[in-house]
Amino acid sequence: MFQRMGHVPFFMARRNIAELILVWQHTGACHPFIFYKAHVMRPARLAVLLSLAGAAALATAQNAPAPASAAPGAAAERPASEFPYTPGLDVNAMDRSADPCVDFYQFACGGWMKNNPIPADQARWSVYGKLAQDNQRYLWGILEDLAKRREGRNASQQKIGDYFGACMDERAIEARGAEPLKPYFEQIAALRSSRDLPRLLARLHLSLADPGLFFGFGSSQDFGDSTRVIAFATAGGLGLPDRDSYLKLDAKSQEIRAKYVAHIANTFKLLGDDASRAQREAARVMEMETQLAKASLSRVDKRDPYKLFHKVDARGLQALTPGFDWHAYLSEIGQGGQTTFNVTEPAFFKALARLWKSNDLDATRTYLRWHVARSMSPALASSFDREHFDFFSKTLRGVQQQQPRWKRCVALVDRQLGEALGQEFVGRAFSPELKAKSLHMTRQVEEAMKKDIDSLDWMSPDTKKRAQEKLAAIVNKIGYPDKWRDYSSYTVKPGDFAGNVLRGHAFEQRRDLAKIGKPLDRSEWGMTPPTVNAYFNPQMNDINFPAGVLQPPLFDPKMDDAPNYGNTGGTIGHELTHAFDDEGRQFDAKGNLKDWWTKKDAKEYEERAQCIVDQYAQYTVVDDIKINSKLTLGEDIADLGGLILGWMAWKEEMASMPQRAQPQGQPRDGLSPEQRFFVGYAQWACESDRPENLRVKAMTDPHSPGRYRVNGLMVNMPQFQQAFQCKPGQPMVKEKRCRVW
Ligand SMILES: [Zn+2]
């Protein structure tokens, strides 16, 4: 739902600095470890968030020191002191001239799309994105106050206030130019032998937390034993959003690649290289990245956890990359004693070793300079920031205008100090009553799933028993973590934006690496509290709903039950169903990758999933590009299962609370309770996307476009057809319905 998460690889969520900062755009650089399933695209993190949303990255300053005339209307923008209220079912968002049995999405969202054109600083716009921006605007006020106030702040408030203040100080950032790159460029220039590469790379990884630098390295739960946290070495090394960005042969993809090469050359020119040298360097980088792309798994392959599970010892790791001294690398990052590693893509590491061997050191230095500059551009002077925005946001995603500085700075605070910021948010925006209500609904949805599993006619008692064990073991996390992250070792200085960003990366890298070999912390969250999104993590076997997503219009305590159960009930059901989607079902109650299905039941499941694959493959994303329905399968299964569970939970609530139920047949806003349930559901998904962004999403986003997350479900729900009295033969009635859960 919201902006963009979907299910994203878990780590995306947590690390990714490059992303962080720069983030917004290249989710391609994330590592895929685990299958972190965001409801909307994730923001994954936040960063991701940003990116998904298509937000422009944190671009630079549109307003350099000069007159900040950049964005029209920007002058009028002010922080919000309260949240604007939008009802959970908004009749103004509907288009009543549309026939719900012909195009339900248009009926429920037509008004929203008409009244909410995509803002110039966004790649897409949606109900989730708008709510996320409302949260940002509210946080802006808090941060502005904390940045000005030098007294009476606690330690966390000092950090987020000073971070925000430094980020907003464009004059100081401009004055430093590209100077923050200097220490890194000196180290790269000093690379005299391939023997020095491991230690150099280790230092760059610690400071930049960017898997775009050849590969990624961090911690994650062992697929085979979820109680253990082990080291993961993951594929990376790319600047474009996906491996396919390098491989597709159509004219549009070729044009994007040519513009990417031009962008790399422009960046080298900004660094002082002359034009012809910059061209040669850019071509070289593109060549290297293309080789790495060819050796990378596709996104569909990465959805298969078995393809990412290759445990090796130190000798096995070393054997993959002769010539690259892992012992030196590990010592430099403080992990010299590690003996167990999961190499998610061994073929990638073998290709990397070949690349290092065949290249001269000059090529390696060029590649590293590019990626360090790319990673840090949003934290440098406006010339770098603008160049970065022009390619990654404007060219790649169609964004017309850089986001105002305040938005980018709020997003970065959320990214690097999210749980400190989250405490401020939760204290003001999330009441214990709201938490209790959300938990009540969550338990009802879980109860519905219990009944649903029992009622399946295609599943054997043995498999049902295991499914029930898994369901019973799922942990519900609502609102915010029980234990807040300790940022005391992260030094934030006033007036030092780039330094704060780099120290934040190093803090996060060290925090992540420190988990290796330690007992698993089950209380950890992969999203920050203000995030408008939700996720399921199969290894933790938990569902997570940050405070940011439990607000109107998504969850509206003032509204009747029907739209709330359609919307938030559907979202809770969605996350729960992820535990049993095509990926999630491969993990057991303990979060281990272990097959608990009988052969026959697995076959029955796959047949039902294939029905969904075939259905969504018919839908068009943009131009002649159809949904890659093997990539979106998990989300499509979760959407359908989730809404069925939301429906069951709502019926249960009505049965148990007859005094609160709207009398049958009595319409409100001209809609019956059943119709309100479906319109309430659909209105989380109202959105518009730029065509450029849709092209990127067709490659990278495991979620189907909003129109199909609505209409694709309705055709499979007899309850919908009954609620709107749709007739056989109408577009919202499918002859052969799909159902998995
Ligand atoms: Zn999802």
Side-chain angles (χ1 to χ4, degrees), residues 5-7 37-40 534 574-575 578 634-635 638-639 703 709:
M5 282 229 338
H7 82 231
K37 324 227 176 196
H39 196 183
V40 185
H574 173 103
E575 300 309 337
H578 271 315
E635 297 300 332
D639 280 342
H703 301 87
R709 294 188 76 175

Side-chain angles (χ1 to χ4, degrees), residues 398-411:
V399 180
Q400 295 305 300
Q401 177 178 291
Q402 183 80 274
Q403 286 190 356
R405 187 90 198 162
W406 71 264
K407 268 191 217 174
R408 289 176 274 146
C409 291
V410 171

Side-chain angles (χ1 to χ4, degrees), residues 352-422:
L352 195 51
R354 285 195 298 275
L355 182 80
W356 282 328
K357 196 167 173 215
S358 64
N359 268 329
D360 51 45
L361 277 182
D362 203 40
T364 300
R365 283 190 292 259
T366 298
Y367 172 92
L368 291 175
R369 283 173 75 227
W370 151 243
H371 278 285
V372 170
R374 170 190 57 72
S375 189
M376 283 300 289
S377 281
L380 305 177
S382 56
S383 50
F384 285 88
D385 192 25
R386 202 156 37 230
E387 176 60 38
H388 186 85
F389 167 82
D390 279 346
F391 178 74
F392 283 107
S393 296
K394 200 173 204 168
T395 300
L396 209 50
R397 296 187 182 265
V399 180
Q400 295 305 300
Q401 177 178 291
Q402 183 80 274
Q403 286 190 356
R405 187 90 198 162
W406 71 264
K407 268 191 217 174
R408 289 176 274 146
C409 291
V410 171
L412 280 175
V413 176
D414 186 55
R415 181 71 178 188
Q416 298 208 279
L417 287 155
E419 292 197 9
L421 182 62

Side-chain angles (χ1 to χ4, degrees), residues 20-182:
L20 303 186
I21 235 206
L22 325 186
V23 191
W24 313 186
Q25 21 300 44
H26 19 107
T27 56
C30 301
H31 333 184
F33 303 180
I34 303 275
F35 314 86
Y36 176 93
K37 324 227 176 196
H39 196 183
V40 185
M41 255 208 44
R42 146 216 234 344
R45 219 159 172 239
L46 310 198
V48 180
L49 288 192
L50 300 187
S51 62
L52 294 196
L58 104 57
T60 245
Q62 51 210 30
N63 26 334
S69 55
E77 286 196 314
R78 288 303 308 149
S81 54
E82 55 189 46
F83 294 102
Y85 172 69
T86 307
L89 190 155
D90 184 1
V91 291
N92 296 319
M94 298 172 65
D95 172 5
R96 302 222 197 212
S97 72
D99 182 340
C101 296
V102 172
D103 183 351
F104 184 62
Y105 185 70
Q106 179 64 30
F107 176 78
C109 288
W112 192 93
M113 292 186 284
K114 188 164 159 236
N115 300 330
N116 293 278
I118 306 174
D121 68 349
Q122 303 288 333
R124 67 191 293 250
W125 201 224
S126 64
V127 168
Y128 266 52
K130 202 172 171 196
L131 177 55
Q133 186 172 287
D134 288 344
N135 288 353
Q136 281 190 319
R137 190 178 297 277
Y138 183 76
L139 293 168
W140 178 18
I142 295 171
L143 289 168
E144 203 173 61
D145 173 57
L146 290 173
K148 274 189 218 131
R149 220 169 2 117
R150 288 291 161 89
E151 317 240 309
R153 301 180 298 178
N154 64 31
S156 290
Q157 290 171 332
Q158 175 268 316
K159 287 185 204 296
I160 59 178
D162 288 349
Y163 187 110
F164 183 76
C167 180
M168 291 297 289
D169 187 353
E170 293 173 274
R171 205 177 291 268
I173 294 164
E174 199 64 29
R176 288 188 71 188
E179 189 217 305
L181 298 178
K182 211 171 152 210

